[in-house]
Amino acid sequence: MRTDAQAVVIGGGVVGCSILYHLTTLGWTDVVLLERSELTSGSTWHAAANIHGLHDSTNISRLQHYTMTLYKDLEAETGQSCGVFQPGSLYLAQTEAREHQLRLQEAKARRYGMNFHEVSRDEAERLHPLVDFDGIRCIMFEPDGGNVDPSGVTNAYAVGARQRGAEIHRFTPVIGTEPQPDGSWIVRTEKGDIRTPWVVNAAGLWAREVAAMAGVHLPLLPTEHQYFVTETVAEIAAMDRRLPSVADRDGEYYLRQEGKGLLVGAYEKDVRFWAEDGTPQGFGHELFPDDLERIEDNMMRAIDRVPVVGEAGIKRVINGPMIWSPDSSALFGPVPELTGYFCCCGIIPGFSQNGGLGKLAAEWMVEGEPSLDMFGWDLARFGYWATPAFTKARVGDQYAHRFKIHFPGEERQAGRPVRKRPVHARQTELGGVFGLNYGWEHPLYFDADTPDSAGFTRQPWWDSVGREALMLRERAGIIDISNFAKYRVTGPDAETWLNAVFANRMPKAVGRSCLTPLIGKRGGIAGDFTVTRLGPEEFWVIGSGMAERFHQRFFRAVPLQKGTRFESLTEAVAGFNVAGPRARDLLQRMTNADLSNEAFPFFRSARIDVAGISCVALRVSFTGDLGWELHVAEADQVALYDALLSAGEAVGAGPVGSRALMSLRVEKGYGSWGRDYSPEYWPQECGLDGLVRSDKDFLNREAWIKIKALPPRERMVLLDIDAPDADASGGEPVFLTDGMPVGQVSSGAYGYSVGKSLAIAYIRDGEAFAGREVEVAILGQPHLARILERPPFDPEGHRLRDSASALA
Ligand SMILES: Cc1cc2nc3c(=O)[nH]c(=O)nc-3n(C[C@H](O)[C@H](O)[C@H](O)COP(=O)(O)OP(=O)(O)OC[C@H]3O[C@@H](n4cnc5c(N)ncnc54)[C@H](O)[C@@H]3O)c2cc1C
């Protein structure tokens, strides 16, 4: 066994073997995989191993598509069969919402060159004569769908990796992972130790135990999951071809051919957790007792749809464990607080995703960043607030609603509340309806009589949000911005450190702010921040709250000079944005500080007292309107909120939630990180290149220099869409009117104050010019749209700057 390796992968399931293989394809051949038992000894061996290409998340569809097309290449390369059957998959929609989901996926498939299209009932009956298609309103066909052999795939990766020099040691459990002072790790086994710069936790069912060896808590919990295989079905035995699989997600089961019978699996409502206190070390190729009664409802729906299921006897039942994260997406990426510790855990559809995850994991380690934006899958999306109780409640909910449609902006109740600010009770009295924002309960809008709901079309709360948006545009609004991430950097070298991290030059004068991108390893936008100089040696940095842990990776990459201190203020400090044309009237009643345009211009800051409460005040607003951000100690939050609300009454102002804020910022064309800005986009593509100072050093400057002179591949634009009853939300593909794909929406909203359905989109360079007509696939159907020359709300920025014409 090697004593040194470039990476040590822990776990020889399908995911660990794929990562090992992909590391070798990127040139890391001195890599080792350690497996406690035989390969495939976790969830892998007993999987139904269905494969699908399409997913609600665009990047996951791309990753799954890669996986599905890899299997045949892998067989050709290694000579090891992956047992691939690709007779296709039929996707059935029983409801209008499911139809919208499938049509949207079909449009995405056209955009990204994937194979997924609608078929008629006649065609579907020809493809699968055993299905009763009554009540089905839309049928899609994915010709590459099917299933693979779990052990064949895992072994093919192992063969491919070994052929390039990787070592695999079976029956070699890892018993310790110890960080070393030089940033490397010692991985301990009873057969010897290995020193490595990268530990990869791909320990599947045991990921929690392996993470704990490094002091890491992963929010994961296993459940039982069952499928059964029928005896031979005469109609299938008589066929000379294989039947496509059936994805009847409204029926909450999956179904495919297995041998000459059928395999049916179900995600039942009566979820059974397993190994809550830890996965037993000795658990091997074991299964749980059958419990088909638990999945009876799902089975009955499968029988209604495919009657032969009810006629054939049951040959085999598999009830095995699988391990889930709170949102059923993988916990992926390096642990931000550690150096060189990578996780790829909690993968549910491992056979649709192993290839893409292996490839992106290898890119992340070898090249420093994955080529696709994986924020939605990054383990950093969960903080310490994702407690075991939260995890259990969420996993239960995810399991029981495995095939539920993920509507844009959906908020699930399970496991909440986790974190509340003191002002939560007051906001509840005001009718606050809350969402979950990086663990915080955060107001979406204020109208308790209109409960939250989710759908692809406009929901009942659409009007409530509109009232708040208009109140702010006409008078003023008070927005809770406590969910923003806030950091303080102090010390004699604070400015130097910040300049070494961020792409823009830090403000020289006290009371000045700057906007700055954070550049990623490939030159894209890893973050966007407002940095304010509050004192000669004191800076405040404000960024995206949900990305606080994600950004730690970047902040840790630049060592702090002695005497420089970096601290997060996110928990200790709360905040409100008071914005709208009457924001000054509202606030001036509460402070002796001079808030006139001359004394407190746009983009300036100061420590002032408001209602006797000490605040850090910044003259900025994400609404694009006249406004101030007020940041206060959390203990003062309620007092400040009450004072603002009471002063607001005099000018007709009230509370405004985050849904209205999203609409207001889109009217102004402001991009938002995690939606419109991401590491996939270059500064020159989203108009942030003017904020990158090439004449100074900053984190990943070399990546920026490489791409700086390149023309944009796509450009960020604002679209005005003819959309009467549904707005774009992000991910919708964009086509030219002749059907040629040209881009995709990154976020969208109805602009209440401008009376337009709007979307921020990335459009291929050359087509991204003002007035260009395009079609946006909202609900999967073409909606005519025009590229706007300027944002429809206050394009000159008079309101924000309070310049003469705004006052006129
Ligand atoms: C009944 C059932 C049906 C399923 N059907 C499908 C399906 O149709 N399609 C699909 O895509 N997915 C399906 N899955 C899910 C699929 O099985 C998983 O997504 C996949 O197997 C996860 O693989 P993994 O490599 O992450 O984890 P695992 O397979 O759990 O592998 C982890 C490995 O790590 C090893 N290990 C653990 N601790 C250590 C240690 N300390 N040292 C060394 N090695 C260690 C283990 O022995 C194990 O081999 C199904 C799962 C179940 C339970």
Side-chain angles (χ1 to χ4, degrees), residues 11 15 35-36 41 43-44 46 48-50 174 205 347-351:
V15 170
E35 164 56 47
R36 163 192 87 96
S41 290
S43 286
T44 296
H46 56 242
N50 303 310
V174 169
L205 288 176
I347 296 112
I348 298 305
F351 291 89

Side-chain angles (χ1 to χ4, degrees), residues 10-16 34-51 172-175 202-207 210 213 223-227 254 256 267 281 318-323 344-353:
I10 306 173
V14 70
V15 170
L34 302 174
E35 164 56 47
R36 163 192 87 96
S37 175
E38 274 292 359
L39 296 182
T40 77
S41 290
S43 286
T44 296
W45 73 273
H46 56 242
N50 303 310
I51 54 172
T172 311
V174 169
I175 52 174
L205 288 176
W206 293 264
V210 168
M213 291 177 197
T223 66
E224 296 185 13
H225 175 57
Q226 293 184 90
Y227 65 83
Y254 53 84
R256 70 163 169 84
Y267 290 94
Q281 285 304 320
I318 299 282
N319 184 8
M322 62 207 303
I323 190 159
C344 190
C345 312
I347 296 112
I348 298 305
F351 291 89
S352 299
Q353 297 181 347

Side-chain angles (χ1 to χ4, degrees), residues 263-421:
L263 178 155
V264 182
Y267 290 94
E268 67 280 17
K269 294 281 175 272
D270 183 12
V271 51
R272 291 298 148 91
F273 299 103
W274 178 68
E276 288 185 46
D277 299 326
T279 305
Q281 285 304 320
F283 188 81
H285 274 61
E286 294 161 55
L287 293 171
F288 308 123
D290 310 349
D291 187 0
L292 287 183
E293 245 176 56
R294 233 168 58 221
I295 62 168
E296 201 178 322
D297 289 351
N298 313 60
M299 274 170 78
M300 295 316 292
R301 287 191 290 268
I303 291 169
D304 284 348
R305 187 64 57 207
V306 185
V308 294
V309 173
E311 293 154 19
I314 291 177
K315 184 162 90 179
R316 189 167 79 238
V317 180
I318 299 282
N319 184 8
M322 62 207 303
I323 190 159
W324 301 69
S325 77
D327 58 6
S328 75
S329 298
L331 297 182
F332 191 56
V335 173
E337 297 76 21
L338 301 176
T339 302
Y341 192 98
F342 198 95
C343 289
C344 190
C345 312
I347 296 112
I348 298 305
F351 291 89
S352 299
Q353 297 181 347
N354 62 71
L357 285 173
K359 178 172 183 282
L360 294 169
E363 287 175 357
W364 209 331
M365 284 179 270
V366 176
E367 297 166 1
E369 197 177 89
S371 53
L372 296 182
D373 171 24
M374 291 298 287
F375 183 73
W377 286 49
D378 192 322
L379 62 88
R381 71 190 181 280
F382 294 110
Y384 73 89
W385 50 266
T387 59
F390 173 80
T391 304
K392 184 173 178 184
R394 287 263 154 172
V395 167
D397 185 51
Q398 289 290 333
Y399 184 95
H401 301 103
R402 172 72 186 133
F403 292 137
K404 190 173 175 289
I405 300 168
H406 293 286
F407 292 113
E410 77 169 358
E411 296 286 349
R412 290 179 160 192
Q413 294 304 317
R416 293 168 50 195
V418 194
R419 306 205 274 186
K420 290 194 286 189
R421 296 278 187 181

Side-chain angles (χ1 to χ4, degrees), residues 160-214:
R162 277 201 194 102
Q163 280 171 352
R164 292 200 187 80
E167 280 184 12
I168 296 179
H169 298 280
R170 295 170 305 139
F171 303 101
T172 311
V174 169
I175 52 174
T177 52
E178 290 160 21
Q180 302 302 300
D182 65 356
S184 69
W185 290 82
I186 299 287
V187 178
R188 299 211 187 279
T189 78
E190 276 165 6
K191 297 179 184 167
D193 298 342
I194 309 177
R195 182 182 280 272
T196 181
W198 278 103
V199 172
V200 182
N201 180 347
L205 288 176
W206 293 264
R208 291 172 298 172
E209 290 69 32
V210 168
M213 291 177 197

